[in-house]
Amino acid sequence: MRVRLLTFGVLRDMAGLSDETVELKEGATVGELIEILRGRTSNDSTGNGADEGIWRSLAAAVNREYSSLAEVLREGDEVALLPPVSGGCGER
Amino acid sequence: MSNEICRVEIVDTAIAAGEIVAAVKDGADGAVCVFDGIVRDNTRGRRTLYLDYEAYREMALEQMRGLAAEAVARFGVRDVAMVHRLGRLMVGETSVLIVVASAHRAAAFEACRWMIDSLKKTVPIWKRETFADGAVWAAGEPFPEELAIHPRGDAE
């Protein structure tokens, strides 16, 4: 099956693409999709450890609703990986 | 009674703050609380030149609409407006405007504070800060526990 994968902010810079189609096996979860992307970015980037924190701090959305790692994906889903948000203004 | 409109927008051009505030006001209101978030000229001692905001636009709008509706329900205010701007913003420009109209000031203050605090935690918008000496994606606030995919303290 195919899903649409969107990435934003620092994660988009790491992944290299903001909007792509990813082929997954039937029944794949959000967590499995994240592992695929994570494997890919660690191969073709500098591999420095500073980027690791981003994978711990993510949120994910499926069809524009926040989701869990265990959520099972379906053909045509829109999956977004979201770094911690920083809208508004100034510091916390 | 409540002439509620809940104006929620994401825009790519300057936010017309005065016009939005004027449009929210109604005869039933005793207070209008305005939060005007603007671009500051420094972060932690570095001189800021400009900020670039980007969003997961459709989801951000849905989240903002949810916050507006929840603010009305939770604080009992009459009406709210929430407008966020995207793209490149220079020092002093408005990035986010929140307006809360209410019969009484306490609820207006509380709802306004809650709306900006919630926006900064859950609405998918990001900013890249360009300084005189480099650029970085701003470190966002951690997601609330119920939204993060890895609960805190979850060691790998």
Side-chain angles (χ1 to χ4, degrees), chain B residues 3-139:
Chain B
N3 180 27
E4 175 200 319
I5 294 161
C6 286
R7 177 175 182 168
V8 174
E9 294 172 6
I10 292 178
V11 300
D12 301 291
T13 53
I15 294 174
E19 181 189 304
I20 294 168
V21 173
V24 168
K25 288 181 183 174
D26 185 86
D29 300 324
V32 171
C33 193
V34 178
F35 177 80
D36 187 342
I38 62 176
V39 177
R40 189 178 46 223
D41 70 359
N42 73 90
T43 296
R44 291 188 210 88
R46 297 177 81 180
R47 188 163 68 84
T48 301
L49 298 180
Y50 52 83
L51 304 181
D52 289 294
Y53 285 90
E54 69 169 45
Y56 183 10
R57 199 165 182 133
E58 304 82 1
M59 182 177 171
L61 257 182
E62 288 171 20
Q63 292 286 319
M64 288 164 64
R65 289 193 189 109
L67 291 180
E70 190 177 342
V72 170
R74 184 193 278 229
F75 298 96
V77 297
R78 186 191 59 78
D79 194 14
V80 302
M82 182 182 246
V83 181
H84 204 298
R85 181 176 170 189
L86 302 180
R88 181 159 298 178
L89 275 72
M90 310 309 288
V91 170
E93 291 194 293
T94 297
S95 57
V96 61
L97 184 78
I98 294 172
V99 185
V100 181
S102 172
H104 303 287
R105 70 181 181 281
F109 275 120
E110 285 173 26
C112 194
R113 176 69 187 254
W114 179 84
M115 287 178 77
I116 183 61
D117 287 350
S118 299
L119 177 143
K120 290 170 71 75
K121 293 190 186 98
T122 66
V123 176
I125 296 176
W126 299 270
K127 63 172 174 273
R128 186 170 172 80
E129 305 187 65
T130 296
F131 303 105
D133 59 350
V136 295
W137 285 101

Side-chain angles (χ1 to χ4, degrees), chain A residues 6-13 30 34-35 38 52 55-61 63-69 78-92, chain B residues 35 37-38 40 43-44 53-56 58-59 62-63 84 95-96 116 119-128 137-143 147-150 154-156:
Chain A
L6 306 177
T7 50
F8 295 92
V10 64
L11 196 63
R12 196 248 338 273
D13 287 356
V30 169
I34 290 173
E35 285 311 311
R38 186 173 179 169
E52 280 303 294
W55 300 105
R56 311 291 312 152
S57 60
L58 284 185
N63 300 327
R64 302 189 282 279
E65 299 270 358
Y66 282 105
S67 77
S68 71
L69 280 180
E78 180 175 297
V79 186
L81 301 184
L82 314 174
V85 301
S86 55
C89 55
E91 297 299 296
R92 59 202 71 167
Chain B
F35 177 80
I38 62 176
R40 189 178 46 223
T43 296
R44 291 188 210 88
Y53 285 90
E54 69 169 45
Y56 183 10
E58 304 82 1
M59 182 177 171
E62 288 171 20
Q63 292 286 319
H84 204 298
S95 57
V96 61
I116 183 61
L119 177 143
K120 290 170 71 75
K121 293 190 186 98
T122 66
V123 176
I125 296 176
W126 299 270
K127 63 172 174 273
R128 186 170 172 80
W137 285 101
E141 298 201 21
F143 282 108
L147 300 186
I149 55 177
H150 292 286
D154 164 21
E156 201 153 326

Side-chain angles (χ1 to χ4, degrees), chain A:
Chain A
M1 65 171 179
R2 290 179 166 199
V3 301
R4 183 177 177 198
L5 173 64
L6 306 177
T7 50
F8 295 92
V10 64
L11 196 63
R12 196 248 338 273
D13 287 356
M14 286 169 63
L17 282 174
S18 61
D19 185 348
E20 60 181 304
T21 301
V22 178
E23 184 80 41
L24 296 171
K25 67 181 194 312
E26 292 302 318
T29 63
V30 169
E32 287 163 352
L33 176 57
I34 290 173
E35 285 311 311
I36 291 170
L37 187 69
R38 186 173 179 169
R40 198 177 79 194
T41 56
S42 68
N43 289 339
D44 56 32
S45 76
T46 55
N48 64 49
D51 289 345
E52 280 303 294
I54 189 66
W55 300 105
R56 311 291 312 152
S57 60
L58 284 185
V62 176
N63 300 327
R64 302 189 282 279
E65 299 270 358
Y66 282 105
S67 77
S68 71
L69 280 180
E71 183 153 336
V72 175
L73 298 171
R74 288 185 300 267
E75 171 74 27
D77 276 347
E78 180 175 297
V79 186
L81 301 184
L82 314 174
V85 301
S86 55
C89 55
E91 297 299 296
R92 59 202 71 167

